[in-house]
Amino acid sequence: MKEEIERLNKEAKAIKRQDPARAEELARQAQALAHEIGDRAGLAESLTIIADVCWRTERYAEGMQAAREALALFTELDDLRGKARALNIVGICHKELDEMNKAMLAYQESLKWAEHIGDKNFLASILNNIGTVHSILADYPTALECLLKSLALFQELGDRYSEANVRVNIGIVYELNKEYGNALKEYQSALTVFESLNLKKEIATALVNIGNTTFEALNDFENARHALEKSLRLYEELNSLDGIATTKNSLALVYEKKGEDERAIELYCEALALSEQVANKSLIARVCLNLGRLYSKKQGIKGDERGN
């Protein structure tokens, strides 16, 4: 029975990026078997995979619960790598729920165990996540320092997928610093890798960043719209409500700056409804800011002309 649990978990872990639904199905089969025979290690592994799939499919509260259950089991088993993995997912879920302080605490504890066991791959992943939180908190020098360390480790390990993910986050820091040329270079490099691996969600994310930066840096309406509409189609295919909302907000801003206010309002309203549905607080705030500014402009009230 333990061999079957190991097989199911191994297969689930291998396909969690490409086929999260099938990965979750396999992990839940392993979970049931492990629970039946009292295999705590097998159960902890299956819960970690389920938690991983949950955050990838935007079910953050469910992912948090599974990760915390896994963390308790790994603690009982004195499995330091398992603890680090579970804590990393807890951090990811807190970040996606806009709970940055809690995310940082979980990441820092995960980093401690990753350094203790000397796992370079995992260390690189956590540094990437910590860098992302610093970027959100507008601490760009620290963010870039963490991300460049992560990038160097992934390059050393030859992990193209993870290297591309880090490049997207580095691009975001450059974009926020208005270093648009460097940002586009990082986004394009990441997109090439994601396309070679046929990873639709990652392709969509890179395209949103390319669309935003193309418009901000070059004021290139057509190419920005093309990238964002391509991203939107991918997110719709994936049924990613958060991704759809984010992309519609970006598209609305492009149409607004182009002077097509009615189309912009339509897209902002759609983005707001979706962001409220998935309870993305930071996106709700951004869309409300953009929508309020546009209404104020139409009524002749001078406001903040910036949008994001």
Side-chain angles (χ1 to χ4, degrees):
M1 189 78 80
K2 282 192 174 184
E3 291 79 6
E4 177 66 4
I5 293 167
E6 289 176 3
R7 184 192 68 79
L8 289 166
N9 280 332
K10 184 177 180 180
E11 186 177 342
K13 190 175 180 180
I15 62 171
K16 64 184 180 183
R17 292 170 184 161
Q18 292 83 357
D19 192 350
R22 176 60 177 160
E24 183 173 0
E25 180 184 344
L26 293 168
R28 290 199 182 277
Q29 290 176 21
Q31 179 189 21
L33 290 174
H35 185 74
E36 181 182 337
I37 68 168
D39 179 3
R40 291 187 298 166
L43 182 58
E45 181 65 22
S46 61
L47 283 166
T48 304
I49 296 166
I50 290 166
D52 196 310
V53 170
C54 283
W55 79 256
R56 291 176 189 276
T57 52
E58 300 170 12
R59 293 142 53 206
Y60 305 120
E62 187 179 348
M64 179 93 68
Q65 181 180 344
R68 289 198 178 281
E69 290 177 15
L71 177 60
L73 286 166
F74 284 130
T75 301
E76 289 177 12
L77 295 164
D78 198 28
D79 183 336
L80 301 186
R81 191 175 192 283
K83 286 174 67 173
R85 289 170 61 208
L87 282 162
N88 187 48
I89 296 173
V90 169
I92 291 170
C93 292
H94 278 307
K95 180 182 79 70
E96 296 299 337
L97 292 168
D98 295 313
E99 298 168 346
M100 298 304 159
N101 289 334
K102 291 180 180 179
M104 187 64 82
L105 287 172
Y107 287 147
Q108 291 288 2
E109 190 174 354
S110 181
L111 180 66
K112 177 182 70 175
W113 296 121
E115 289 175 333
H116 184 75
I117 61 179
D119 186 326
K120 288 185 178 181
N121 184 71
F122 203 66
L123 183 60
S125 295
I126 300 167
L127 285 168
N128 174 54
N129 291 337
I130 290 173
T132 302
V133 173
H134 280 298
S135 175
I136 293 168
L137 296 174
D139 183 357
Y140 304 133
T142 305
L144 200 56
E145 179 184 353
C146 291
L147 292 169
L148 289 173
K149 286 180 181 177
S150 174
L151 180 66
L153 285 169
F154 280 132
Q155 288 175 326
E156 179 184 338
L157 295 165
D159 185 340
R160 294 175 64 239
Y161 167 81
S162 298
E163 178 186 338
N165 268 330
V166 179
R167 287 194 181 280
V168 169
N169 292 329
I170 291 172
I172 290 170
V173 175
Y174 282 135
E175 183 181 349
L176 291 167
N177 271 327
K178 302 188 184 305
E179 297 179 47
Y180 297 123
N182 286 334
L184 278 172
K185 180 181 177 182
E186 298 295 337
Y187 293 149
Q188 292 285 2
S189 177
L191 179 63
T192 299
V193 174
F194 293 146
E195 287 178 334
S196 73
L197 297 173
N198 194 32
L199 296 169
K200 292 181 181 179
K201 186 172 184 178
E202 286 82 354
I203 292 169
T205 299
L207 284 168
V208 169
N209 291 323
I210 288 169
N212 290 340
T213 306
T214 298
F215 191 68
E216 289 181 70
L218 307 174
N219 203 29
D220 185 341
F221 172 78
E222 288 303 326
N223 281 325
R225 183 173 62 83
H226 175 74
L228 291 168
E229 288 181 346
K230 186 175 179 181
S231 172
L232 182 60
R233 288 193 296 272
L234 287 168
Y235 277 132
E236 287 173 339
E237 184 180 332
L238 293 164
N239 195 32
S240 171
L241 301 185
D242 197 68
I244 294 168
T246 298
T247 308
K248 286 192 172 186
N249 180 60
S250 294
L251 264 174
L253 186 60
V254 170
Y255 277 106
E256 179 189 347
K257 293 294 180 66
K258 185 70 172 175
E260 299 183 30
D261 289 352
E262 295 308 314
R263 177 59 176 149
I265 288 172
E266 179 185 353
L267 286 164
Y268 281 139
C269 288
E270 291 172 0
L272 180 59
L274 287 167
S275 59
E276 288 175 336
Q277 187 175 338
V278 298
N280 185 328
K281 295 177 186 177
S282 62
L283 182 56
I284 291 170
R286 293 202 306 273
V287 178
C288 285
L289 175 66
N290 290 337
L291 192 55
R293 184 197 58 249
L294 180 52
Y295 279 130
S296 296
K297 184 176 70 175
K298 286 174 67 66
Q299 293 171 11
I301 303 171
K302 188 174 181 180
D304 188 350
E305 290 299 318
R306 294 170 297 172
N308 51 54

